[in-house]
Amino acid sequence: MATKARRTERREEPLSRERIVEAAIGILDAVGEGGLTFRVLAERLATGPGAIYWHVSGKEELLGAATEVVVTGTVLGGAGGASPQEVIRDLALRLFDAIDAHPWIGGQLARSPGQSPTLQVFERLGRQVQALGVPRPARFTAASTLLSYILGVAGQNAANAHGQESEQDRTEFLDGVSAAWANLDPDAYPFTRDVAEQLREHDDRAEFLAGIDLVLAGIAASHAG
Amino acid sequence: MATKARRTERREEPLSRERIVEAAIGILDAVGEGGLTFRVLAERLATGPGAIYWHVSGKEELLGAATEVVVTGTVLGGAGGASPQEVIRDLALRLFDAIDAHPWIGGQLARSPGQSPTLQVFERLGRQVQALGVPRPARFTAASTLLSYILGVAGQNAANAHGQESEQDRTEFLDGVSAAWANLDPDAYPFTRDVAEQLREHDDRAEFLAGIDLVLAGIAASHAG
DNA sequence: CGACTCTCTGGAATGCCGTTCCAGAATCAG
DNA sequence: CTGATTCTGGAACGGCATTCCAGAGAGTCG
């Protein structure tokens, strides 16, 4: 405590919305959506809950901001001169991987249509739909369908991300579901039983992309005829 | 009140899982997902929270059971001898209408893949995909894509269902979003701005069906070639 | 250099939630 | 009648988001 001895200005690093959102993302990635509480967040930032509320209006805004940071980082930067189909596939896969890395985004995206992150994706999809040569009145439907499909997969992936960190957890999970499907009532669930074995060796990412291709094929077919 | 005169056996009506789920659906429909609490539910059933827990393991199970009741009622009974495309469209529309009537189902369905209600829909879709003549290895993808699209729309509808009961609320809501889109940065959101006006006069239900048709077209195109 | 103000902090308090506990009422089996 | 069992509901308990508020730090002005 020499002269005035503020060895650090006021704090090591002042609180800021940016630092709060960053810490929130860290917690969300580490312990999931349910693990983010203002108490934990305050502890991690070495402060109290009240201080956080001065920078952020509440939990909803915090989750929204966290989602926006990740999604914006994901949506920007992508394929260059490829075909519109390729750009859409690339964007979709980048989103899929981002949701895989941060499962909480899935639930958040699915729950907040019209918000900035969803809009960003919609815009990117729409531009490529336009580049695809889809006539103007059909563009909205085409872009919305792609978006809804992506959000649907996102929500399911987010829900499935319960305690499967490793590759092994994942295999066990698929084996379990596959076995459960194979044991369903044959009269009530013939189809599900029939595809149960396909589930065991299935690759979520490839399956997701195949769905994108299906929609793209539908878009192409619809404005060809 | 003849011999022993228990005009009501034990209670006017004994508590039962069925009655609890029924009451929960009533509350969910009236005040939404956030309004369902065990206290409110207990008051409505003229009992205490403890009694409810004897019949139901917790909130998750309760929401699941409520969803199952509504979805099962929706999925059963539908078109008879129509084409597979027609059956799929009919099933999808029935689901859409059910979600419109009970928006909380949307969030619930999107959040619980592999659970009974989702599986029921998957099974129905899969059978029709099969009837469509899709080759075996492609059926899983086709049915999953339809399901994911439906769940995506469901989630968005559930999220949008914030305080728009009447037709007028709905029009105001669309006008507001449309205006917001039209005021976006022209450089960042050219596409979204361009389709903003289409949004104003758009019909969610028709748009949803158009998306289904797009996926169906894609399915048809994919196994034709 | 003081005093006043404004930004920002963080600990304490509030009110609601899901869930658990438990004493006891109603019913049933013998 | 008696003991066991099923079922009830009010009273906790711990945790949550959010609000309150006394006051610390840092600029500003006379």
Side-chain angles (χ1 to χ4, degrees):
Chain A
M1 56 168 71
T3 42
K4 284 290 181 54
R6 335 192 291 284
R7 72 179 55 191
T8 54
E9 288 87 281
R10 175 169 182 166
R11 265 169 136 265
E12 313 85 61
E13 217 177 339
L15 221 46
S16 71
R17 192 183 142 98
E18 204 174 66
R19 235 163 66 77
I20 291 170
V21 171
E22 192 184 331
I25 292 175
I27 294 170
L28 286 165
D29 286 345
V31 294
E33 187 159 358
L36 176 66
T37 72
F38 275 81
R39 279 178 236 277
V40 169
L41 189 55
E43 191 178 358
R44 174 146 174 169
L45 292 166
T47 182
I52 296 173
Y53 273 89
W54 198 90
H55 297 273
V56 152
S57 79
K59 194 169 188 179
E60 199 169 327
E61 184 193 322
L62 183 56
L63 279 167
T67 306
E68 181 155 1
V69 166
V70 176
V71 170
T72 300
T74 301
V75 158
L76 297 180
S83 71
Q85 283 97 338
E86 279 306 318
V87 177
I88 290 176
R89 289 163 52 109
D90 181 63
L91 171 61
L93 278 186
R94 279 207 312 279
L95 278 170
F96 183 91
D97 291 338
I99 292 162
D100 207 50
H102 317 277
W104 49 275
I105 304 179
Q108 199 54 31
L109 274 181
R111 239 186 303 298
S112 65
Q115 298 298 107
S116 164
T118 320
L119 254 195
Q120 288 182 50
V121 176
F122 181 69
E123 171 69 27
R124 300 276 158 164
L125 290 172
R127 284 189 217 165
Q128 299 310 318
V129 163
Q130 186 166 356
L132 229 35
V134 174
R136 194 158 180 273
R139 286 176 201 155
F140 182 86
T141 298
S144 294
T145 304
L146 283 166
L147 179 65
S148 291
Y149 170 68
I150 292 171
L151 293 184
V153 175
Q156 287 173 273
N157 275 27
N160 277 336
H162 277 305
Q164 20 168 324
E165 295 286 311
S166 67
E167 189 63 33
Q168 177 165 358
D169 287 341
R170 156 131 216 89
T171 304
E172 277 174 20
F173 175 75
L174 282 181
D175 281 0
V177 176
S178 175
W181 284 14
N183 284 328
L184 287 167
D185 176 1
D187 290 330
Y189 292 94
F191 174 77
T192 306
R193 279 172 59 99
D194 191 54
V195 296
E197 66 182 65
Q198 290 181 45
L199 185 67
R200 182 173 270 106
E201 49 194 74
H202 114 146
D203 174 352
D204 273 351
R205 200 167 181 269
E207 203 62 52
F208 169 66
L209 193 56
I212 292 282
D213 287 341
L214 219 46
V215 180
L216 287 175
I219 292 173
S222 292
H223 72 97
Chain B
M1 55 174 73
T3 44
K4 284 284 179 57
R6 336 192 289 283
R7 73 178 56 189
T8 55
E9 286 87 280
R10 175 172 182 162
R11 265 168 134 263
E12 313 87 61
E13 216 176 341
L15 220 44
S16 70
R17 193 184 142 97
E18 202 173 68
R19 236 165 65 79
I20 291 170
V21 171
E22 191 184 331
I25 292 175
I27 293 171
L28 285 165
D29 286 346
V31 294
E33 186 159 359
L36 176 66
T37 72
F38 275 81
R39 279 174 234 278
V40 170
L41 188 55
E43 191 179 358
R44 174 147 173 167
L45 291 166
T47 180
I52 296 173
Y53 275 88
W54 199 90
H55 297 274
V56 151
S57 79
K59 194 169 189 179
E60 199 168 327
E61 182 191 324
L62 183 56
L63 279 168
T67 305
E68 181 156 1
V69 167
V70 176
V71 170
T72 300
T74 302
V75 157
L76 297 180
S83 71
Q85 281 97 339
E86 280 306 319
V87 176
I88 289 176
R89 289 162 52 108
D90 180 62
L91 170 61
L93 277 186
R94 281 207 311 279
L95 277 170
F96 183 90
D97 291 339
I99 292 163
D100 206 50
H102 317 277
W104 49 276
I105 303 178
Q108 199 54 30
L109 274 182
R111 240 187 302 296
S112 65
Q115 298 299 106
S116 163
T118 319
L119 255 195
Q120 288 183 51
V121 176
F122 180 69
E123 171 71 26
R124 299 277 159 163
L125 290 172
R127 283 189 217 166
Q128 298 310 317
V129 163
Q130 186 166 357
L132 228 35
V134 174
R136 196 157 179 273
R139 285 176 201 156
F140 182 85
T141 298
S144 293
T145 304
L146 282 166
L147 178 65
S148 292
Y149 170 69
I150 292 171
L151 293 185
V153 175
Q156 285 172 276
N157 274 28
N160 276 336
H162 277 304
Q164 20 167 325
E165 294 288 310
S166 68
E167 190 63 34
Q168 177 164 357
D169 287 342
R170 155 133 215 88
T171 305
E172 277 174 21
F173 175 75
L174 281 181
D175 282 0
V177 175
S178 175
W181 284 14
N183 283 329
L184 287 167
D185 175 2
D187 290 331
Y189 292 92
F191 174 77
T192 307
R193 279 172 58 99
D194 191 54
V195 297
E197 67 180 66
Q198 289 181 44
L199 186 67
R200 182 173 271 107
E201 48 194 75
H202 114 149
D203 174 351
D204 272 351
R205 200 166 180 270
E207 202 62 53
F208 168 68
L209 194 56
I212 291 283
D213 286 342
L214 221 44
V215 180
L216 286 176
I219 292 172
S222 291
H223 72 98

